[in-house]
Amino acid sequence: MAEGRSDRRLLGELAAEFAGTAILILFGAGVVAQVVAGGIGDHDSIAWAWGLGVTLGVYTAARISGAHLNPAVTVALAVFKGFSWRKVLPYALAQTLGAFVAALLVRWNYAEVLAKVDPGHTIKTQGVFSTLPGNGTLPVTQWGALRDQIIGTAILLFLIFAISDERNSAPLANLAPVIVGLLVVAIGMAWGTDAGYAINPARDFGPRLASFFTGYGSAFRDQYGGLYFWVPIIGPLVGGVIGAGLYQLLVARFLPRTDVPEPGRTPEPAAQAG
């Protein structure tokens, strides 16, 4: 019986990660499609829509799974917060699948305008679904993009750990998703040039697969023709551990000890606790 309840709970967590990441991509890839293919909006609208997508995705999944929505978050929680390693791969797969399905919906909905702007489905509109060094136009190499993804995701995880640390000056649980969303807006506005601020392997690889299966033959390569898909996977995974580790080193170990919730999960409201 206990094993059955555990399996059902894990299934619920994976469903929540799938749904939350799908919400993120519906807004994120959707706004890029609108700007690139429809000519409506600019970089600021992209940054805001991605941030709002994060906020809404976190609200969707937080009570069930903790709303990681990002394998870099899941791995960092496993390394530093005791999140179960046996859940890491299932979480990452659920996140990537959610991103893949949502990207397919965006691809279907924007099919006409994408075909009008870029009939060959080339590098010109590939950035709707996945990132490129220098956003496909600026002189940034793969190694420059890797550096950028390590730094950007380190910033993300450092601040996610700060925002979610109950021993620190954390916002109330129901406001944390808004703060995390604003964090993503800020990263998009400050760190979007060199590699399109993927900062999330699932957010990049799921839509990259969706674009590949729907006509983008160059989906795994950058504008120079080199294999690029690994950069927004490895960079965030490395950067996330670095950022979370720096938070533990510079801040967390100096905070007073208090009772903390299960790693990677949103604390129960006080009225329902106990």
Side-chain angles (χ1 to χ4, degrees):
M1 291 293 292
E3 184 177 349
R5 286 194 297 270
S6 177
D7 289 344
R8 181 176 175 81
R9 177 176 175 177
L10 178 59
L11 179 61
E13 292 171 0
L14 298 181
E17 287 295 304
F18 172 93
T21 311
I23 293 296
L24 163 63
I25 298 302
L26 287 174
F27 285 95
V31 71
V32 182
Q34 180 165 275
V35 172
V36 172
I40 301 171
D42 54 21
H43 179 76
D44 283 356
S45 59
I46 290 173
W48 278 107
W50 274 109
L52 289 169
V54 169
T55 293
L56 297 170
V58 173
Y59 275 125
T60 297
R63 285 294 299 278
I64 298 174
S65 69
H68 302 184
L69 314 186
N70 182 342
V73 173
T74 303
V75 169
L77 288 169
V79 171
F80 294 105
K81 295 290 188 179
F83 184 75
S84 174
W85 278 103
R86 75 177 183 87
K87 293 183 179 181
V88 169
L89 182 58
Y91 264 52
L93 291 174
Q95 294 153 2
T96 303
L97 183 60
F100 174 80
V101 171
L104 285 178
L105 186 57
V106 172
R107 175 71 174 87
W108 181 36
N109 188 64
Y110 282 94
E112 295 88 351
V113 289
L114 286 168
K116 174 68 175 179
V117 171
D118 183 19
H121 301 310
T122 68
I123 207 84
K124 181 178 180 181
T125 57
Q126 183 178 314
V128 169
F129 302 98
S130 54
T131 58
L132 291 161
N135 291 307
T137 59
L138 299 172
V140 178
T141 66
Q142 285 195 6
W143 297 110
L146 180 65
R147 174 198 64 220
D148 172 89
Q149 284 302 285
I150 292 172
I151 296 172
T153 315
I155 295 169
L156 176 71
L157 264 296
F158 185 100
L159 291 171
I160 284 177
F161 270 45
I163 291 165
S164 61
D165 193 339
E166 292 295 307
R167 297 178 298 135
N168 206 338
S169 298
L172 296 176
N174 62 336
L175 290 179
V178 176
I179 306 302
V180 173
L182 289 174
L183 166 61
V184 173
V185 172
I187 291 174
M189 289 181 171
W191 291 86
T193 297
D194 282 3
Y197 74 107
I199 56 175
N200 180 340
R203 164 266 174 274
D204 191 87
F205 190 66
R208 194 179 294 271
L209 278 176
S211 66
F212 178 75
F213 287 133
T214 57
Y216 284 83
S218 62
F220 295 105
R221 298 185 179 274
D222 58 25
Q223 65 268 33
Y224 311 113
L227 282 176
Y228 182 76
F229 72 93
W230 62 273
V231 172
I233 295 175
I234 300 300
L237 291 175
V238 172
V241 171
I242 291 173
L246 286 172
Y247 177 78
Q248 297 298 111
L249 176 67
L250 299 175
V251 180
R253 68 193 182 107
F254 298 110
L255 293 171
R257 299 296 305 176
T258 59
D259 292 335
V260 295
E262 180 185 350
R265 296 184 61 79
T266 301
E268 294 284 340
Q272 297 182 20

